[in-house]
């Protein structure tokens, strides 16, 4: 015969599921008896569970609890604790820090109620074991990854990922090593994400890429009890040849802009000189004053230069004689 629990929503297992944890032993007061329908019925139930995505453990498929042997071992453990008091308290009582949680297993099964802590908790000797889980934020420096961009440019990119354990029970029960799995997934996600971007997008849109990578990692690690808080791209290193080519291109662009600016300046200065010449042509004395101002400037800058001023009218006399 097989135990069935209507409240748990699963037939034949007698287990209830905590939020974000593996099935645990339910309250035995709500049990009802169901008739075993043979091996073919068990196979169909197993297939239905597999189609629904439920985890089926072959060893405990038809076991609704720890069993008779489990209760006997639990009783013996309590007898051992009572017989060795108060010395057993040194072994049974454990303490976890404010930033830690303890996930307790009794005979290989998760205890009902989730993780324990912070503070003091009780562990039965011989039949119970526990694992401490640190809930503080962990910083992971992603090693430099060689990435081929969408426009066929090889770049080396490294990043930093900040994550923490949000559910201690799930991080222990659903994945072998949550930290190692998260780090490998971060490296793979970084390569896959940058492989769909062009070089100018990687260099100019780092914030959007970091945000997309954070959302992707957070969704993937949710079933592991991991919360990805932040992702930042640290550095993008280009090949030496590409750096030289980009530097030459930038230098040529700057030289072209400089020539355009110089040409525009010459054009504006020529217009200003034309306007000044028109003004000087209206007054012959203005040209003489300009001539004297030029002599004053030359004498101040170059003292060794000897200048013989020549009247403009005298030159005009010779120019008129030629005509």
């Amino acid at each position: 015969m097989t135990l069935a629990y209507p409240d748990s929503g699963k037939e034949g297992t007698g287990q209830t599921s905590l939020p974000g944890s593996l099935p645990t032993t339910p309250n035995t007061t709500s049990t009802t008896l169901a008739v075993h329908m043979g091996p073919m019925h068990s196979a169909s139930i197993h297939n239905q569970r597999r189609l629904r995505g439920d985890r089926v453990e072959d060893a405990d498929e038809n076991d609704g609890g720890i069993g008779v042997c489990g209760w006997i071992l639990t009783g013996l453990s309590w007898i051992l604790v009572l017989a060795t008091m108060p010395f057993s308290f040194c072994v049974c009582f454990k303490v976890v820090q404010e930033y830690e949680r303890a996930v307790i297993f009794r005979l290989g099964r998760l205890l009902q109620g989730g993780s324990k802590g912070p503070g003091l908790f009780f562990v039965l000797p011989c039949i119970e074991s526990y694992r401490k889980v640190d809930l503080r934020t962990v910083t992971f420096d992603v090693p430099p990854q060689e990435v081929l961009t969408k426009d066929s440019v090889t770049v080396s990119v490294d990043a930093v990922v900040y994550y923490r354990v949000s559910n201690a029970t799930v991080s222990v029960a659903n994945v072998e090593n949550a930290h190692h799995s998260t780090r490998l997934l971060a490296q793979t996600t970084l390569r896959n994400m940058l492989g769909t971007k062009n070089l100018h997008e990687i260099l100019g849109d780092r914030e959007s890429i970091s945000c997309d990578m954070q959302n992707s990692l957070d969704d993937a690690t949710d079933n592991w009890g991991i919360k990805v808080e932040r992702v930042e791209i640290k550095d993008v290193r280009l090949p030496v040849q590409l750096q030289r080519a980009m530097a030459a291109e930038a230098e040529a662009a700057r030289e072209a802009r400089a020539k355009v600016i110089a040409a525009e300046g010459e054009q504006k200065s020529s217009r200003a000189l034309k306007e000044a010449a028109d003004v000087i042509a209206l007054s012959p004395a203005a040209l003489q004053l300009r001539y004297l101002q030029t002599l004053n400037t030359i004498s101040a800058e170059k003292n060794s230069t000897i200048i013989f001023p020549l009247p403009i009218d005298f030159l005009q006399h010779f120019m008129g004689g030629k005509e």
Side-chain angles (χ1 to χ4, degrees):
M1 302 180 67
T2 305
L3 294 178
Y5 304 94
D7 295 337
S8 64
K10 296 183 181 180
E11 299 180 357
T13 60
Q15 300 176 352
T16 58
S17 298
L18 293 173
S21 62
L22 290 179
T24 55
T25 305
N27 190 359
T28 56
T29 59
S30 61
T31 60
T32 56
L33 294 178
V35 180
H36 194 280
M37 300 301 293
M40 301 209 38
H41 181 67
S42 299
S44 63
I45 294 177
H46 179 82
N47 293 332
Q48 292 175 2
R49 291 173 183 168
R50 184 173 59 183
L51 291 175
R52 289 196 306 263
D54 298 334
R55 296 184 178 182
V56 180
E57 298 180 0
D58 295 337
D60 298 331
E61 183 177 3
N62 296 322
D63 189 5
I66 61 176
V68 178
C69 294
W71 287 112
I72 293 175
L73 292 176
T74 303
L76 293 176
S77 180
W78 278 108
I79 292 174
L80 179 62
V81 171
L82 297 176
T84 57
M85 281 196 309
F87 303 102
S88 60
F89 291 161
C90 298
V91 179
C92 296
F93 284 104
K94 305 293 181 180
V95 178
V96 292
Q97 303 296 329
E98 180 68 28
Y99 53 84
E100 294 178 335
R101 297 294 182 270
V103 181
I104 304 176
F105 295 88
R106 176 178 296 174
L107 297 176
R109 302 172 66 91
L110 281 171
L111 284 186
Q112 196 172 18
S115 58
K116 307 296 182 182
L120 189 68
F121 63 96
F122 187 82
V123 176
L124 288 175
C126 303
I127 65 171
E128 288 186 354
S129 61
Y130 71 97
R131 286 184 59 182
K132 289 184 179 180
V133 179
D134 197 333
L135 302 183
R136 292 177 292 182
T137 300
V138 180
T139 303
F140 171 57
D141 192 2
V142 180
Q145 304 293 316
E146 295 289 338
V147 181
L148 183 64
T149 61
K150 189 176 180 180
D151 50 356
S152 300
V153 178
T154 303
V155 295
S156 179
V157 183
D158 55 353
V160 59
V161 180
Y162 301 90
Y163 68 93
R164 61 179 175 85
V165 177
S166 60
N167 192 322
T169 304
V170 174
S171 66
V172 172
N174 286 5
V175 63
E176 181 180 1
N177 191 332
H179 295 281
H180 184 64
S181 301
T182 302
R183 293 174 181 180
L184 292 180
L185 183 62
Q187 298 179 22
T188 306
T189 305
L190 179 63
R191 290 195 297 267
N192 295 339
M193 189 74 65
L194 297 181
T196 60
K197 305 291 184 180
N198 294 322
L199 180 60
H200 68 277
E201 295 177 349
I202 297 176
L203 297 177
D205 299 335
R206 293 191 181 185
E207 294 184 0
S208 61
I209 295 175
S210 299
C211 184
D212 294 341
M213 184 176 174
Q214 176 187 350
N215 295 333
S216 178
L217 283 175
D218 197 16
D219 294 340
T221 58
D222 187 38
N223 295 329
W224 300 343
I226 299 295
K227 172 65 178 177
V228 179
E229 297 179 340
R230 191 178 182 88
V231 177
E232 291 291 341
I233 296 178
K234 292 172 57 179
D235 189 18
V236 179
R237 288 186 289 272
L238 304 177
V240 179
Q241 296 81 0
L242 183 59
Q243 293 180 11
R244 293 176 180 174
M246 294 178 67
E249 181 182 1
E251 184 178 0
R254 286 194 297 269
E255 290 180 356
R257 288 195 299 269
K259 291 180 179 179
V260 171
I261 294 173
E264 292 177 353
E266 291 291 338
Q267 184 180 6
K268 292 180 181 179
S269 63
S270 62
R271 291 178 181 175
L273 289 174
K274 181 180 180 297
E275 293 177 359
D278 295 339
V279 173
I280 292 174
L282 299 177
S283 177
L287 182 60
Q288 188 70 22
L289 293 175
R290 181 61 182 169
Y291 174 71
L292 295 175
Q293 183 180 2
T294 305
L295 292 179
N296 186 22
T297 304
I298 294 174
S299 63
E301 293 181 356
K302 299 180 181 180
N303 297 328
S304 60
T305 305
I306 300 174
I307 300 175
F308 295 95
L310 199 63
I312 299 299
D313 297 337
F314 182 74
L315 296 176
Q316 289 180 353
H317 177 70
F318 285 102
M319 295 174 63
K322 292 181 178 179
E323 292 177 356

